[in-house]
Coordinates of all heavy atoms in Angstrom, one line a residue:
Chain A
K208 N 30.0 -56.5 -19.0 CA 29.6 -55.7 -20.2 C 28.5 -56.3 -21.0 O 28.7 -56.8 -22.1 CB 30.9 -55.6 -21.1 CG 31.9 -54.6 -20.6 CD 32.8 -54.3 -21.8 CE 33.9 -53.2 -21.3 NZ 34.8 -52.9 -22.5
D210 N 23.8 -56.8 -21.1 CA 22.5 -56.5 -20.5 C 22.2 -57.3 -19.3 O 22.6 -58.4 -19.1 CB 21.4 -56.8 -21.6 CG 21.5 -55.8 -22.8 OD1 22.2 -54.8 -22.7 OD2 20.8 -56.2 -23.8
I211 N 21.4 -56.7 -18.4 CA 20.9 -57.4 -17.2 C 19.8 -58.4 -17.6 O 19.0 -58.1 -18.5 CB 20.5 -56.5 -16.1 CG1 20.3 -57.2 -14.8 CG2 19.2 -55.7 -16.5 CD1 20.2 -56.3 -13.6
D213 N 16.9 -61.7 -16.4 CA 16.0 -62.0 -15.3 C 16.8 -62.8 -14.3 O 16.6 -62.7 -13.1 CB 14.8 -62.7 -15.8 CG 13.7 -62.6 -14.7 OD1 13.4 -61.5 -14.2 OD2 13.2 -63.7 -14.2
F216 N 18.6 -60.5 -12.0 CA 17.7 -59.9 -11.0 C 17.4 -60.8 -9.9 O 17.5 -60.5 -8.7 CB 16.3 -59.5 -11.7 CG 16.3 -58.2 -12.4 CD1 16.1 -58.1 -13.8 CD2 16.5 -57.0 -11.8 CE1 16.1 -56.9 -14.5 CE2 16.5 -55.8 -12.5 CZ 16.3 -55.7 -13.8
K217 N 17.2 -62.1 -10.2 CA 16.9 -63.1 -9.2 C 18.1 -63.3 -8.3 O 18.1 -63.3 -7.1 CB 16.5 -64.4 -9.9 CG 15.1 -64.5 -10.3 CD 14.7 -66.0 -10.4 CE 13.3 -66.1 -11.0 NZ 13.2 -66.4 -12.4
L219 N 20.7 -61.4 -7.8 CA 21.0 -60.3 -6.9 C 20.1 -60.2 -5.8 O 20.5 -59.9 -4.6 CB 21.0 -59.0 -7.8 CG 22.2 -58.8 -8.7 CD1 21.9 -57.6 -9.7 CD2 23.5 -58.6 -8.0
A220 N 18.8 -60.5 -6.0 CA 17.8 -60.4 -5.0 C 18.0 -61.5 -3.9 O 18.0 -61.2 -2.7 CB 16.4 -60.5 -5.6
L236 N 35.0 -42.5 -12.1 CA 34.6 -42.3 -13.5 C 34.6 -43.7 -14.2 O 35.6 -44.4 -14.2 CB 35.5 -41.3 -14.2 CG 35.1 -41.0 -15.6 CD1 33.6 -40.6 -15.8 CD2 36.0 -40.0 -16.2
D237 N 33.5 -44.0 -14.8 CA 33.3 -45.3 -15.5 C 32.6 -45.1 -16.8 O 31.5 -44.7 -16.9 CB 32.5 -46.3 -14.6 CG 32.5 -47.7 -15.2 OD1 32.8 -47.9 -16.4 OD2 32.3 -48.6 -14.4
Y238 N 33.4 -45.3 -17.9 CA 32.8 -45.1 -19.3 C 31.9 -46.3 -19.6 O 31.3 -46.3 -20.7 CB 33.9 -44.9 -20.3 CG 34.8 -43.7 -20.1 CD1 36.2 -43.9 -19.9 CD2 34.3 -42.5 -20.1 CE1 37.0 -42.8 -19.8 CE2 35.1 -41.3 -20.0 CZ 36.4 -41.5 -19.8 OH 37.2 -40.4 -19.6
H239 N 31.9 -47.3 -18.8 CA 31.2 -48.5 -19.1 C 30.1 -48.9 -18.1 O 29.8 -50.0 -17.9 CB 32.2 -49.7 -19.3 CG 33.3 -49.4 -20.2 ND1 34.5 -48.8 -19.9 CD2 33.4 -49.6 -21.6 CE1 35.2 -48.7 -21.0 NE2 34.6 -49.1 -22.0
F240 N 29.6 -47.9 -17.4 CA 28.6 -48.1 -16.4 C 27.3 -48.6 -17.1 O 27.0 -48.2 -18.3 CB 28.3 -46.9 -15.6 CG 27.6 -45.8 -16.2 CD1 26.2 -45.5 -15.9 CD2 28.2 -45.0 -17.1 CE1 25.6 -44.4 -16.5 CE2 27.5 -43.9 -17.7 CZ 26.2 -43.6 -17.4
N241 N 26.6 -49.5 -16.5 CA 25.3 -50.0 -17.0 C 24.5 -50.5 -15.9 O 24.9 -50.5 -14.7 CB 25.6 -51.1 -18.1 CG 26.3 -52.3 -17.5 OD1 26.3 -52.6 -16.3 ND2 27.0 -53.1 -18.4
Y242 N 23.3 -51.0 -16.2 CA 22.3 -51.4 -15.2 C 22.9 -52.5 -14.4 O 22.7 -52.6 -13.2 CB 21.0 -51.8 -15.9 CG 19.8 -51.7 -14.9 CD1 18.9 -50.7 -15.0 CD2 19.6 -52.7 -14.0 CE1 17.8 -50.6 -14.1 CE2 18.5 -52.7 -13.1 CZ 17.6 -51.6 -13.2 OH 16.6 -51.6 -12.3
V245 N 25.7 -51.3 -12.0 CA 25.2 -50.5 -10.9 C 24.3 -51.3 -9.9 O 24.4 -51.1 -8.7 CB 24.5 -49.3 -11.5 CG1 23.9 -48.4 -10.4 CG2 25.4 -48.4 -12.3
A246 N 23.6 -52.2 -10.5 CA 22.7 -53.0 -9.6 C 23.5 -53.9 -8.7 O 23.2 -54.1 -7.5 CB 21.8 -53.9 -10.5
L249 N 24.7 -51.5 -6.0 CA 23.5 -51.2 -5.1 C 23.3 -52.4 -4.1 O 23.1 -52.1 -2.9 CB 22.3 -51.1 -5.9 CG 20.9 -50.9 -5.2 CD1 21.0 -49.6 -4.4 CD2 19.8 -50.8 -6.2
H250 N 23.4 -53.6 -4.5 CA 23.2 -54.7 -3.6 C 24.3 -55.0 -2.6 O 24.1 -55.4 -1.5 CB 22.8 -56.0 -4.4 CG 21.4 -55.9 -4.9 ND1 21.0 -55.2 -6.0 CD2 20.3 -56.5 -4.4 CE1 19.7 -55.3 -6.1 NE2 19.2 -56.1 -5.1
K253 N 23.5 -52.4 0.0 CA 22.4 -52.9 0.9 C 22.9 -53.9 1.9 O 22.2 -54.1 2.9 CB 21.3 -53.4 0.0 CG 20.6 -52.3 -0.8 CD 19.2 -52.6 -1.1 CE 19.0 -53.2 -2.4 NZ 17.5 -53.5 -2.7
S265 N 30.8 -33.6 -11.1 CA 29.7 -34.0 -11.9 C 30.0 -34.0 -13.4 O 29.4 -34.8 -14.1 CB 28.5 -33.0 -11.6 OG 28.9 -31.7 -11.9
T266 N 30.9 -33.2 -13.8 CA 31.2 -33.2 -15.3 C 32.7 -33.4 -15.5 O 33.5 -33.4 -14.6 CB 30.9 -31.8 -15.9 OG1 31.6 -30.8 -15.1 CG2 29.4 -31.5 -15.9
L267 N 33.0 -33.7 -16.8 CA 34.3 -34.1 -17.2 C 34.6 -33.2 -18.4 O 33.9 -33.3 -19.5 CB 34.4 -35.5 -17.7 CG 35.6 -36.1 -18.3 CD1 36.7 -36.3 -17.2 CD2 35.4 -37.4 -19.0
M269 N 36.1 -32.2 -21.8 CA 36.7 -32.9 -22.9 C 36.4 -32.3 -24.2 O 35.2 -31.9 -24.4 CB 36.3 -34.4 -22.9 CG 37.3 -35.3 -23.5 SD 36.8 -37.0 -23.7 CE 36.8 -37.6 -22.0
H270 N 37.3 -32.1 -25.1 CA 37.1 -31.5 -26.4 C 36.3 -30.2 -26.3 O 35.4 -29.9 -27.0 CB 36.2 -32.4 -27.3 CG 36.9 -33.7 -27.7 ND1 38.1 -33.7 -28.5 CD2 36.7 -35.0 -27.4 CE1 38.5 -34.9 -28.7 NE2 37.7 -35.7 -28.0
D272 N 34.4 -29.2 -24.2 CA 32.9 -29.4 -23.8 C 32.9 -30.2 -22.5 O 33.9 -30.5 -22.0 CB 32.3 -30.2 -25.0 CG 30.8 -30.2 -24.9 OD1 30.2 -29.6 -24.0 OD2 30.2 -30.9 -25.8
F273 N 31.7 -30.5 -22.0 CA 31.6 -31.2 -20.8 C 30.8 -32.5 -21.0 O 29.8 -32.5 -21.6 CB 30.9 -30.3 -19.7 CG 31.6 -29.1 -19.5 CD1 31.1 -27.8 -19.8 CD2 32.9 -29.1 -18.9 CE1 31.8 -26.7 -19.6 CE2 33.7 -28.0 -18.7 CZ 33.1 -26.7 -19.0
F274 N 31.3 -33.5 -20.4 CA 30.7 -34.8 -20.4 C 30.4 -35.3 -19.0 O 30.4 -34.5 -18.1 CB 31.6 -35.8 -21.2 CG 31.6 -35.6 -22.7 CD1 32.4 -34.6 -23.2 CD2 30.7 -36.2 -23.5 CE1 32.4 -34.3 -24.6 CE2 30.6 -35.9 -24.9 CZ 31.5 -35.0 -25.4
L275 N 30.0 -36.5 -18.8 CA 29.6 -37.0 -17.5 C 30.9 -37.3 -16.7 O 31.7 -38.1 -17.1 CB 28.8 -38.3 -17.7 CG 27.6 -38.3 -18.6 CD1 27.2 -39.6 -19.0 CD2 26.5 -37.5 -17.8
G278 N 30.9 -38.2 -10.5 CA 29.7 -37.9 -9.7 C 28.4 -38.2 -10.4 O 27.4 -38.6 -9.8
S279 N 28.4 -38.0 -11.7 CA 27.2 -38.3 -12.5 C 27.1 -39.8 -12.8 O 26.0 -40.3 -12.8 CB 27.3 -37.5 -13.8 OG 27.2 -36.1 -13.6
V280 N 28.2 -40.4 -13.0 CA 28.2 -41.9 -13.3 C 27.7 -42.7 -12.1 O 27.0 -43.7 -12.3 CB 29.6 -42.3 -13.8 CG1 29.8 -43.8 -13.6 CG2 29.9 -41.8 -15.2
A282 N 25.7 -41.4 -9.8 CA 24.4 -40.9 -9.3 C 23.3 -41.9 -9.2 O 22.5 -41.8 -8.3 CB 24.0 -39.7 -10.2
P283 N 23.2 -42.9 -10.1 CA 22.2 -43.9 -9.9 C 22.3 -44.7 -8.6 O 21.3 -45.0 -7.9 CB 22.4 -44.9 -11.1 CG 23.1 -44.0 -12.1 CD 24.0 -43.1 -11.4
N286 N 21.3 -42.3 -5.8 CA 19.9 -42.1 -5.8 C 19.1 -43.4 -5.3 O 18.2 -43.2 -4.5 CB 19.5 -41.8 -7.3 CG 18.1 -41.1 -7.4 OD1 17.1 -41.8 -7.5 ND2 18.1 -39.8 -7.2
A287 N 19.5 -44.5 -5.8 CA 18.8 -45.8 -5.4 C 19.0 -46.2 -4.0 O 18.2 -46.8 -3.3 CB 19.1 -46.9 -6.4
Chain B
K226 N 23.8 -49.3 -28.3 CA 24.2 -50.4 -27.4 C 25.7 -50.7 -27.6 O 26.1 -51.8 -28.0 CB 23.4 -51.6 -27.7 CG 22.0 -51.6 -27.1 CD 21.5 -53.0 -27.0 CE 20.1 -53.0 -26.4 NZ 19.6 -54.4 -26.3
D228 N 30.1 -49.1 -26.5 CA 30.9 -48.2 -25.7 C 31.0 -46.9 -26.4 O 31.0 -46.9 -27.7 CB 32.3 -48.8 -25.6 CG 32.3 -50.0 -24.7 OD1 31.3 -50.3 -24.0 OD2 33.3 -50.8 -24.7
D231 N 36.2 -42.2 -29.0 CA 36.7 -40.8 -29.0 C 35.9 -40.0 -30.1 O 35.7 -38.8 -30.0 CB 38.2 -40.8 -29.2 CG 38.7 -39.4 -28.9 OD1 38.5 -38.9 -27.8 OD2 39.4 -38.8 -29.8
F234 N 32.8 -38.7 -28.6 CA 33.1 -37.5 -27.8 C 33.2 -36.2 -28.7 O 32.6 -35.2 -28.4 CB 34.4 -37.7 -27.0 CG 34.2 -38.5 -25.7 CD1 34.8 -39.7 -25.5 CD2 33.4 -38.0 -24.7 CE1 34.7 -40.4 -24.4 CE2 33.2 -38.7 -23.5 CZ 33.9 -40.0 -23.3
K235 N 34.0 -36.4 -29.8 CA 34.2 -35.3 -30.7 C 32.9 -34.9 -31.4 O 32.6 -33.7 -31.4 CB 35.2 -35.7 -31.8 CG 36.7 -35.7 -31.3 CD 37.6 -35.5 -32.6 CE 39.1 -35.6 -32.2 NZ 39.6 -36.9 -32.3
L237 N 29.9 -35.3 -30.4 CA 28.9 -34.7 -29.5 C 29.3 -33.3 -29.2 O 28.5 -32.4 -29.1 CB 28.8 -35.6 -28.2 CG 28.0 -36.9 -28.4 CD1 28.2 -37.8 -27.2 CD2 26.5 -36.6 -28.7
A238 N 30.6 -33.1 -29.0 CA 31.1 -31.8 -28.7 C 30.9 -30.8 -29.8 O 30.5 -29.6 -29.6 CB 32.6 -31.8 -28.3
L254 N 12.4 -45.4 -17.2 CA 13.2 -46.5 -16.8 C 13.9 -47.1 -18.1 O 13.2 -47.4 -19.1 CB 12.3 -47.6 -16.2 CG 13.0 -48.8 -15.7 CD1 14.2 -48.5 -14.7 CD2 12.1 -49.7 -14.9
D255 N 15.2 -47.3 -18.0 CA 16.0 -47.8 -19.1 C 16.9 -48.9 -18.6 O 17.8 -48.6 -17.8 CB 16.7 -46.7 -19.8 CG 17.3 -47.1 -21.1 OD1 17.5 -48.3 -21.3 OD2 17.7 -46.2 -21.9
Y256 N 16.7 -50.1 -19.0 CA 17.6 -51.2 -18.5 C 18.9 -51.2 -19.3 O 19.8 -52.0 -19.1 CB 16.9 -52.6 -18.7 CG 15.7 -52.8 -17.9 CD1 14.4 -53.0 -18.5 CD2 15.7 -52.7 -16.5 CE1 13.3 -53.2 -17.7 CE2 14.6 -52.9 -15.7 CZ 13.4 -53.1 -16.3 OH 12.3 -53.3 -15.6
H257 N 19.0 -50.3 -20.3 CA 20.1 -50.3 -21.2 C 20.8 -49.0 -21.3 O 21.5 -48.6 -22.2 CB 19.7 -50.7 -22.7 CG 19.0 -52.0 -22.7 ND1 17.6 -52.1 -22.5 CD2 19.4 -53.3 -22.9 CE1 17.2 -53.4 -22.6 NE2 18.3 -54.1 -22.8
F258 N 20.7 -48.3 -20.2 CA 21.4 -47.0 -20.1 C 22.9 -47.2 -20.1 O 23.4 -48.2 -19.6 CB 21.0 -46.1 -18.9 CG 21.4 -46.6 -17.6 CD1 22.4 -45.8 -16.9 CD2 20.9 -47.7 -17.0 CE1 22.8 -46.2 -15.6 CE2 21.4 -48.1 -15.7 CZ 22.3 -47.4 -15.0
N259 N 23.6 -46.3 -20.8 CA 25.1 -46.3 -20.8 C 25.6 -44.9 -21.0 O 24.9 -44.0 -21.2 CB 25.6 -47.4 -21.8 CG 25.1 -47.0 -23.2 OD1 24.9 -45.8 -23.5 ND2 25.1 -47.9 -24.1
Y260 N 27.0 -44.8 -21.0 CA 27.6 -43.5 -21.2 C 27.2 -42.8 -22.5 O 26.9 -41.7 -22.5 CB 29.1 -43.7 -21.1 CG 29.8 -42.4 -20.7 CD1 30.3 -42.2 -19.4 CD2 30.0 -41.4 -21.6 CE1 31.0 -41.0 -19.0 CE2 30.7 -40.2 -21.2 CZ 31.1 -40.0 -19.9 OH 31.8 -38.9 -19.6
V263 N 23.5 -41.6 -22.4 CA 23.3 -40.5 -21.5 C 24.0 -39.2 -22.0 O 23.5 -38.1 -21.9 CB 23.7 -40.9 -20.1 CG1 23.6 -39.7 -19.1 CG2 22.9 -42.0 -19.6
A264 N 25.2 -39.4 -22.6 CA 25.9 -38.3 -23.1 C 25.2 -37.6 -24.3 O 25.2 -36.4 -24.4 CB 27.3 -38.7 -23.6
L267 N 22.5 -35.6 -22.6 CA 23.1 -34.4 -22.0 C 23.3 -33.3 -23.0 O 23.0 -32.1 -22.8 CB 24.4 -34.8 -21.3 CG 25.3 -33.7 -20.7 CD1 24.6 -33.0 -19.6 CD2 26.6 -34.2 -20.3
H268 N 23.8 -33.7 -24.2 CA 24.1 -32.7 -25.2 C 22.8 -32.1 -25.8 O 22.8 -30.9 -26.2 CB 25.1 -33.2 -26.2 CG 26.5 -33.2 -25.7 ND1 26.9 -34.1 -24.8 CD2 27.5 -32.3 -25.8 CE1 28.2 -33.8 -24.4 NE2 28.5 -32.7 -25.1
K271 N 21.8 -29.5 -23.3 CA 22.6 -28.3 -23.4 C 22.2 -27.5 -24.6 O 22.5 -26.3 -24.6 CB 24.1 -28.7 -23.5 CG 24.6 -29.3 -22.2 CD 26.1 -29.1 -22.0 CE 26.9 -30.2 -22.5 NZ 28.3 -30.0 -22.2
S283 N 12.8 -43.6 -7.5 CA 14.2 -44.0 -7.4 C 14.5 -45.5 -7.4 O 15.5 -45.9 -7.9 CB 14.8 -43.4 -6.1 OG 14.1 -43.9 -5.0
T284 N 13.5 -46.3 -7.0 CA 13.7 -47.7 -7.0 C 12.6 -48.4 -7.7 O 11.5 -47.9 -8.0 CB 13.8 -48.3 -5.6 OG1 12.6 -47.9 -4.9 CG2 15.0 -47.8 -4.8
L285 N 12.9 -49.7 -8.1 CA 11.9 -50.5 -8.8 C 11.8 -51.8 -8.0 O 12.8 -52.6 -7.8 CB 12.5 -50.9 -10.2 CG 11.8 -51.9 -11.0 CD1 10.6 -51.2 -11.6 CD2 12.7 -52.3 -12.2
M287 N 11.3 -55.6 -7.4 CA 11.3 -56.8 -8.2 C 11.9 -57.9 -7.4 O 12.8 -57.7 -6.6 CB 12.2 -56.5 -9.4 CG 11.8 -57.4 -10.6 SD 12.8 -57.3 -12.0 CE 12.5 -55.7 -12.7
H288 N 11.3 -59.1 -7.6 CA 11.7 -60.3 -6.8 C 11.9 -60.0 -5.3 O 12.8 -60.4 -4.7 CB 13.1 -60.8 -7.4 CG 13.0 -61.3 -8.8 ND1 12.3 -62.4 -9.1 CD2 13.6 -60.9 -9.9 CE1 12.4 -62.6 -10.4 NE2 13.2 -61.7 -10.9
D290 N 12.6 -57.4 -3.8 CA 13.8 -56.6 -3.6 C 13.7 -55.3 -4.4 O 12.7 -55.1 -5.1 CB 15.0 -57.4 -4.1 CG 16.3 -56.9 -3.5 OD1 16.3 -55.9 -2.8 OD2 17.4 -57.4 -3.9
F291 N 14.7 -54.4 -4.3 CA 14.6 -53.2 -5.0 C 15.8 -53.0 -5.9 O 16.9 -53.3 -5.5 CB 14.6 -52.0 -4.0 CG 13.4 -52.1 -3.0 CD1 13.6 -52.3 -1.7 CD2 12.1 -52.0 -3.5 CE1 12.5 -52.4 -0.8 CE2 11.0 -52.1 -2.7 CZ 11.2 -52.4 -1.4
F292 N 15.5 -52.6 -7.1 CA 16.5 -52.3 -8.1 C 16.4 -50.8 -8.5 O 15.8 -50.0 -7.8 CB 16.3 -53.3 -9.3 CG 16.7 -54.7 -9.0 CD1 15.8 -55.5 -8.3 CD2 18.0 -55.1 -9.2 CE1 16.2 -56.8 -7.9 CE2 18.4 -56.4 -8.9 CZ 17.5 -57.2 -8.2
L293 N 17.1 -50.5 -9.6 CA 17.1 -49.1 -10.0 C 15.9 -48.7 -10.7 O 15.5 -49.2 -11.7 CB 18.3 -48.8 -10.9 CG 19.7 -49.3 -10.4 CD1 20.7 -49.4 -11.5 CD2 20.2 -48.3 -9.4
G296 N 14.1 -42.8 -11.8 CA 14.8 -41.7 -11.2 C 16.2 -41.9 -11.0 O 17.1 -41.0 -11.1
S297 N 16.6 -43.2 -10.8 CA 18.0 -43.5 -10.6 C 18.7 -43.6 -12.0 O 19.9 -43.2 -12.1 CB 18.2 -44.8 -9.8 OG 17.7 -44.6 -8.5
V298 N 18.0 -44.1 -12.9 CA 18.6 -44.3 -14.3 C 18.9 -43.0 -14.9 O 19.9 -42.8 -15.7 CB 17.7 -45.2 -15.1 CG1 17.9 -45.0 -16.6 CG2 17.8 -46.7 -14.7
A300 N 19.5 -40.2 -13.2 CA 20.3 -39.4 -12.3 C 21.6 -38.8 -12.9 O 21.9 -37.7 -12.6 CB 20.6 -40.2 -11.0
P301 N 22.3 -39.6 -13.7 CA 23.5 -39.0 -14.4 C 23.1 -37.7 -15.2 O 23.9 -36.8 -15.2 CB 24.0 -40.1 -15.3 CG 23.5 -41.4 -14.7 CD 22.1 -41.0 -14.1
N304 N 22.3 -34.9 -12.8 CA 23.5 -34.5 -12.1 C 24.5 -33.7 -13.0 O 25.0 -32.6 -12.7 CB 24.3 -35.7 -11.6 CG 25.3 -35.4 -10.5 OD1 26.4 -35.2 -10.8 ND2 24.8 -35.4 -9.3
A305 N 24.7 -34.2 -14.3 CA 25.6 -33.5 -15.2 C 25.0 -32.2 -15.8 O 25.7 -31.3 -16.0 CB 26.0 -34.5 -16.3

Side-chain angles (χ1 to χ4, degrees):
Chain A
K208 282 196 180 182
D210 292 346
I211 191 164
D213 197 55
F216 279 115
K217 280 202 184 100
L219 286 169
L236 180 55
D237 190 338
Y238 297 120
H239 305 88
F240 72 108
N241 62 23
Y242 201 103
V245 177
L249 175 62
H250 281 79
K253 291 210 264 183
S265 59
T266 55
L267 174 75
M269 208 184 289
H270 294 296
D272 193 2
F273 301 114
F274 288 84
L275 305 161
S279 295
V280 159
N286 200 269
Chain B
K226 283 197 178 181
D228 292 345
D231 197 55
F234 279 115
K235 282 204 185 96
L237 287 169
L254 181 55
D255 190 339
Y256 297 121
H257 304 89
F258 72 110
N259 61 23
Y260 201 103
V263 177
L267 175 63
H268 281 78
K271 290 209 266 183
S283 59
T284 55
L285 174 75
M287 207 185 290
H288 293 298
D290 193 1
F291 302 113
F292 287 83
L293 305 161
S297 295
V298 159
N304 199 268

